Amino acid sequence: MKMRPTRPYIFQAIRQWIIDSGCTPFVFVRTDLFGVNVPEDFVNDHRIVLDLAPDSVRHYMLRDDVLTFEAVFGEQIQKIRIPMRAVLSIYAEENGAGWSFEDDEYPETNESSDDAESGGDGEDQPTLRVL
């Protein structure tokens, strides 16, 4: 039986742990993957760091494959969409404690949005995971 991805469960647990510890959860995201929707003005070298504190976001929703929420950037509310494969890490702003993710669960992480749009075949290749 195929198991559900662990990344969203670990992500949510670490976010809650950071919040419960009185710190601010930040997420580090790769922005050059297909499906990422973030304000381009805040992207640096295909990466962005976003504040996920409860008072910084609204309509926060985490599913197996995607994180969505709304946040204010430059005095405008922006809808943010982050495929879970684009999440590199989640950590506390105050001390850096958190979690970095491996690419093993979402092999398409190695595929840039340019490759996806040009019909790259990264998703068709089999993957093997040793437990």
Side-chain angles (χ1 to χ4, degrees):
M1 172 179 253
K2 184 175 178 179
M3 300 291 289
R4 295 174 73 169
T6 57
R7 189 175 299 200
Y9 292 92
I10 294 168
F11 182 92
Q12 185 59 27
I14 299 298
R15 179 178 183 257
Q16 193 60 55
W17 170 67
I18 292 168
I19 293 167
D20 291 349
S21 298
C23 294
T24 308
F26 274 24
V27 62
F28 185 46
V29 177
R30 183 175 167 184
T31 62
D32 61 340
L33 297 177
F34 182 75
V36 174
N37 182 32
V38 296
E40 289 297 320
D41 293 345
F42 298 89
V43 172
N44 185 17
D45 195 28
H46 301 294
R47 304 290 191 263
I48 191 169
V49 175
L50 300 166
D51 180 348
L52 290 181
D55 60 350
S56 298
V57 299
R58 67 180 189 179
H59 304 298
Y60 175 91
M61 184 185 313
L62 177 63
R63 296 191 318 243
D64 284 352
D65 60 341
V66 68
L67 168 65
T68 59
F69 59 90
E70 292 179 353
V72 176
F73 293 88
E75 299 181 21
Q76 291 186 356
I77 296 173
Q78 302 275 333
K79 292 183 179 182
I80 307 300
R81 183 181 189 279
I82 303 167
M84 288 308 294
R85 70 181 183 277
V87 173
L88 299 172
S89 63
I90 182 169
Y91 62 93
E93 175 191 27
E94 292 79 3
N95 59 22
W99 192 274
S100 293
F101 293 97
E102 302 283 328
D103 289 343
D104 60 349
E105 190 168 39
Y106 296 93
E108 56 274 31
T109 300
N110 296 325
E111 179 180 86
S112 73
S113 59
D114 295 336
D115 292 340
E117 291 170 0
S118 66
D121 61 353
E123 293 181 327
D124 296 334
Q125 297 182 9
T127 59
L128 176 64
R129 222 174 129 183
V130 178
L131 299 177

PDB file of all heavy atoms in Angstrom, residues 4 10 15 17-18 21 23 36 41 52 55 73 90 92 95 104 120:
ATOM      1  N   ARG A   4       1.094   7.936   2.399  1.00  0.00           N
ATOM      2  CA  ARG A   4       1.010   9.374   2.138  1.00  0.00           C
ATOM      3  C   ARG A   4       2.364  10.001   2.428  1.00  0.00           C
ATOM      4  O   ARG A   4       3.147   9.484   3.218  1.00  0.00           O
ATOM      5  CB  ARG A   4      -0.068   9.984   3.023  1.00  0.00           C
ATOM      6  CG  ARG A   4      -1.448   9.434   2.663  1.00  0.00           C
ATOM      7  CD  ARG A   4      -2.474   9.915   3.605  1.00  0.00           C
ATOM      8  NE  ARG A   4      -2.711  11.333   3.321  1.00  0.00           N
ATOM      9  CZ  ARG A   4      -3.707  12.019   3.842  1.00  0.00           C
ATOM     10  NH1 ARG A   4      -4.543  11.446   4.682  1.00  0.00           N
ATOM     11  NH2 ARG A   4      -3.888  13.283   3.545  1.00  0.00           N
ATOM     12  N   ILE A  10       5.452  16.425   9.003  1.00  0.00           N
ATOM     13  CA  ILE A  10       6.626  16.948   9.700  1.00  0.00           C
ATOM     14  C   ILE A  10       6.607  18.473   9.682  1.00  0.00           C
ATOM     15  O   ILE A  10       6.868  19.124  10.696  1.00  0.00           O
ATOM     16  CB  ILE A  10       7.921  16.403   9.071  1.00  0.00           C
ATOM     17  CG1 ILE A  10       7.999  14.883   9.293  1.00  0.00           C
ATOM     18  CG2 ILE A  10       9.146  17.106   9.631  1.00  0.00           C
ATOM     19  CD1 ILE A  10       9.074  14.194   8.487  1.00  0.00           C
ATOM     20  N   ARG A  15       6.219  23.500  12.558  1.00  0.00           N
ATOM     21  CA  ARG A  15       5.607  24.844  12.634  1.00  0.00           C
ATOM     22  C   ARG A  15       4.936  25.042  13.987  1.00  0.00           C
ATOM     23  O   ARG A  15       5.122  26.075  14.640  1.00  0.00           O
ATOM     24  CB  ARG A  15       4.593  25.046  11.513  1.00  0.00           C
ATOM     25  CG  ARG A  15       3.915  26.418  11.574  1.00  0.00           C
ATOM     26  CD  ARG A  15       2.934  26.616  10.416  1.00  0.00           C
ATOM     27  NE  ARG A  15       2.348  27.937  10.441  1.00  0.00           N
ATOM     28  CZ  ARG A  15       1.101  28.213  10.879  1.00  0.00           C
ATOM     29  NH1 ARG A  15       0.310  27.233  11.298  1.00  0.00           N
ATOM     30  NH2 ARG A  15       0.651  29.440  10.871  1.00  0.00           N
ATOM     31  N   TRP A  17       5.496  23.428  16.800  1.00  0.00           N
ATOM     32  CA  TRP A  17       6.529  23.423  17.834  1.00  0.00           C
ATOM     33  C   TRP A  17       7.191  24.797  17.941  1.00  0.00           C
ATOM     34  O   TRP A  17       7.417  25.310  19.045  1.00  0.00           O
ATOM     35  CB  TRP A  17       7.556  22.336  17.503  1.00  0.00           C
ATOM     36  CG  TRP A  17       8.799  22.342  18.307  1.00  0.00           C
ATOM     37  CD1 TRP A  17       8.925  22.063  19.646  1.00  0.00           C
ATOM     38  CD2 TRP A  17      10.117  22.626  17.826  1.00  0.00           C
ATOM     39  NE1 TRP A  17      10.244  22.153  20.019  1.00  0.00           N
ATOM     40  CE2 TRP A  17      10.992  22.495  18.920  1.00  0.00           C
ATOM     41  CE3 TRP A  17      10.628  22.962  16.578  1.00  0.00           C
ATOM     42  CZ2 TRP A  17      12.366  22.703  18.796  1.00  0.00           C
ATOM     43  CZ3 TRP A  17      11.996  23.162  16.452  1.00  0.00           C
ATOM     44  CH2 TRP A  17      12.845  23.031  17.555  1.00  0.00           C
ATOM     45  N   ILE A  18       7.486  25.413  16.800  1.00  0.00           N
ATOM     46  CA  ILE A  18       8.098  26.741  16.789  1.00  0.00           C
ATOM     47  C   ILE A  18       7.148  27.765  17.416  1.00  0.00           C
ATOM     48  O   ILE A  18       7.553  28.571  18.260  1.00  0.00           O
ATOM     49  CB  ILE A  18       8.498  27.145  15.347  1.00  0.00           C
ATOM     50  CG1 ILE A  18       9.648  26.266  14.856  1.00  0.00           C
ATOM     51  CG2 ILE A  18       8.862  28.626  15.272  1.00  0.00           C
ATOM     52  CD1 ILE A  18       9.935  26.386  13.367  1.00  0.00           C
ATOM     53  N   SER A  21       6.782  27.369  21.105  1.00  0.00           N
ATOM     54  CA  SER A  21       8.003  27.789  21.794  1.00  0.00           C
ATOM     55  C   SER A  21       8.140  29.307  21.848  1.00  0.00           C
ATOM     56  O   SER A  21       9.149  29.826  22.339  1.00  0.00           O
ATOM     57  CB  SER A  21       9.226  27.185  21.090  1.00  0.00           C
ATOM     58  OG  SER A  21       9.183  25.780  21.144  1.00  0.00           O
ATOM     59  N   CYS A  23       8.295  31.342  19.224  1.00  0.00           N
ATOM     60  CA  CYS A  23       9.139  31.849  18.141  1.00  0.00           C
ATOM     61  C   CYS A  23       8.317  32.031  16.867  1.00  0.00           C
ATOM     62  O   CYS A  23       7.142  31.677  16.816  1.00  0.00           O
ATOM     63  CB  CYS A  23      10.294  30.877  17.885  1.00  0.00           C
ATOM     64  SG  CYS A  23      11.458  30.780  19.276  1.00  0.00           S
ATOM     65  N   VAL A  36       4.783  27.139  -8.004  1.00  0.00           N
ATOM     66  CA  VAL A  36       5.081  28.086  -6.926  1.00  0.00           C
ATOM     67  C   VAL A  36       4.529  29.448  -7.328  1.00  0.00           C
ATOM     68  O   VAL A  36       4.794  29.942  -8.423  1.00  0.00           O
ATOM     69  CB  VAL A  36       6.592  28.186  -6.658  1.00  0.00           C
ATOM     70  CG1 VAL A  36       6.891  29.277  -5.635  1.00  0.00           C
ATOM     71  CG2 VAL A  36       7.156  26.847  -6.200  1.00  0.00           C
ATOM     72  N   ASP A  41       8.985  40.098  -6.487  1.00  0.00           N
ATOM     73  CA  ASP A  41       9.836  41.180  -5.994  1.00  0.00           C
ATOM     74  C   ASP A  41      10.638  40.783  -4.762  1.00  0.00           C
ATOM     75  O   ASP A  41      11.609  41.449  -4.419  1.00  0.00           O
ATOM     76  CB  ASP A  41       9.001  42.416  -5.657  1.00  0.00           C
ATOM     77  CG  ASP A  41       8.382  43.057  -6.887  1.00  0.00           C
ATOM     78  OD1 ASP A  41       8.812  42.739  -8.012  1.00  0.00           O
ATOM     79  OD2 ASP A  41       7.457  43.874  -6.730  1.00  0.00           O
ATOM     80  N   LEU A  52       5.512  32.525   8.563  1.00  0.00           N
ATOM     81  CA  LEU A  52       4.288  31.727   8.701  1.00  0.00           C
ATOM     82  C   LEU A  52       3.639  31.861  10.078  1.00  0.00           C
ATOM     83  O   LEU A  52       2.851  31.005  10.479  1.00  0.00           O
ATOM     84  CB  LEU A  52       4.580  30.245   8.439  1.00  0.00           C
ATOM     85  CG  LEU A  52       4.892  29.871   7.010  1.00  0.00           C
ATOM     86  CD1 LEU A  52       5.133  28.370   6.903  1.00  0.00           C
ATOM     87  CD2 LEU A  52       3.777  30.282   6.079  1.00  0.00           C
ATOM     88  N   ASP A  55      -0.258  35.331  13.075  1.00  0.00           N
ATOM     89  CA  ASP A  55      -0.710  36.711  12.884  1.00  0.00           C
ATOM     90  C   ASP A  55      -0.153  37.347  11.602  1.00  0.00           C
ATOM     91  O   ASP A  55      -0.463  38.491  11.289  1.00  0.00           O
ATOM     92  CB  ASP A  55      -0.372  37.576  14.101  1.00  0.00           C
ATOM     93  CG  ASP A  55       1.110  37.645  14.399  1.00  0.00           C
ATOM     94  OD1 ASP A  55       1.890  36.886  13.795  1.00  0.00           O
ATOM     95  OD2 ASP A  55       1.494  38.456  15.268  1.00  0.00           O
ATOM     96  N   PHE A  73       2.254  41.853   1.283  1.00  0.00           N
ATOM     97  CA  PHE A  73       3.547  42.216   0.720  1.00  0.00           C
ATOM     98  C   PHE A  73       3.388  43.585   0.091  1.00  0.00           C
ATOM     99  O   PHE A  73       2.531  43.767  -0.774  1.00  0.00           O
ATOM    100  CB  PHE A  73       3.982  41.216  -0.358  1.00  0.00           C
ATOM    101  CG  PHE A  73       4.276  39.850   0.171  1.00  0.00           C
ATOM    102  CD1 PHE A  73       3.263  38.914   0.285  1.00  0.00           C
ATOM    103  CD2 PHE A  73       5.561  39.497   0.552  1.00  0.00           C
ATOM    104  CE1 PHE A  73       3.523  37.646   0.774  1.00  0.00           C
ATOM    105  CE2 PHE A  73       5.832  38.238   1.034  1.00  0.00           C
ATOM    106  CZ  PHE A  73       4.811  37.307   1.144  1.00  0.00           C
ATOM    107  N   ILE A  90      11.914  24.630   7.285  1.00  0.00           N
ATOM    108  CA  ILE A  90      11.104  25.471   8.162  1.00  0.00           C
ATOM    109  C   ILE A  90      11.919  25.649   9.437  1.00  0.00           C
ATOM    110  O   ILE A  90      12.486  24.677   9.952  1.00  0.00           O
ATOM    111  CB  ILE A  90       9.701  24.878   8.423  1.00  0.00           C
ATOM    112  CG1 ILE A  90       8.890  25.834   9.308  1.00  0.00           C
ATOM    113  CG2 ILE A  90       9.760  23.467   8.965  1.00  0.00           C
ATOM    114  CD1 ILE A  90       7.411  25.492   9.412  1.00  0.00           C
ATOM    115  N   ALA A  92      12.835  28.510  13.062  1.00  0.00           N
ATOM    116  CA  ALA A  92      12.496  29.649  13.916  1.00  0.00           C
ATOM    117  C   ALA A  92      13.399  30.827  13.558  1.00  0.00           C
ATOM    118  O   ALA A  92      14.627  30.677  13.489  1.00  0.00           O
ATOM    119  CB  ALA A  92      12.665  29.288  15.384  1.00  0.00           C
ATOM    120  N   ASN A  95      16.223  31.709  16.417  1.00  0.00           N
ATOM    121  CA  ASN A  95      17.401  30.905  16.741  1.00  0.00           C
ATOM    122  C   ASN A  95      17.789  29.889  15.670  1.00  0.00           C
ATOM    123  O   ASN A  95      18.745  29.147  15.842  1.00  0.00           O
ATOM    124  CB  ASN A  95      17.199  30.183  18.085  1.00  0.00           C
ATOM    125  CG  ASN A  95      15.987  29.282  18.071  1.00  0.00           C
ATOM    126  OD1 ASN A  95      15.517  28.859  17.032  1.00  0.00           O
ATOM    127  ND2 ASN A  95      15.484  28.994  19.260  1.00  0.00           N
ATOM    128  N   ASP A 104      14.098  13.286  -1.381  1.00  0.00           N
ATOM    129  CA  ASP A 104      13.753  11.899  -1.688  1.00  0.00           C
ATOM    130  C   ASP A 104      12.248  11.644  -1.810  1.00  0.00           C
ATOM    131  O   ASP A 104      11.821  10.791  -2.575  1.00  0.00           O
ATOM    132  CB  ASP A 104      14.356  10.945  -0.665  1.00  0.00           C
ATOM    133  CG  ASP A 104      13.885  11.199   0.759  1.00  0.00           C
ATOM    134  OD1 ASP A 104      13.241  12.236   1.014  1.00  0.00           O
ATOM    135  OD2 ASP A 104      14.163  10.355   1.629  1.00  0.00           O
ATOM    136  N   GLY A 120       9.851  18.272 -19.644  1.00  0.00           N
ATOM    137  CA  GLY A 120      10.879  17.438 -19.019  1.00  0.00           C
ATOM    138  C   GLY A 120      10.273  16.152 -18.503  1.00  0.00           C
ATOM    139  O   GLY A 120       9.138  16.118 -18.074  1.00  0.00           O
TER     140      GLY A 120
END
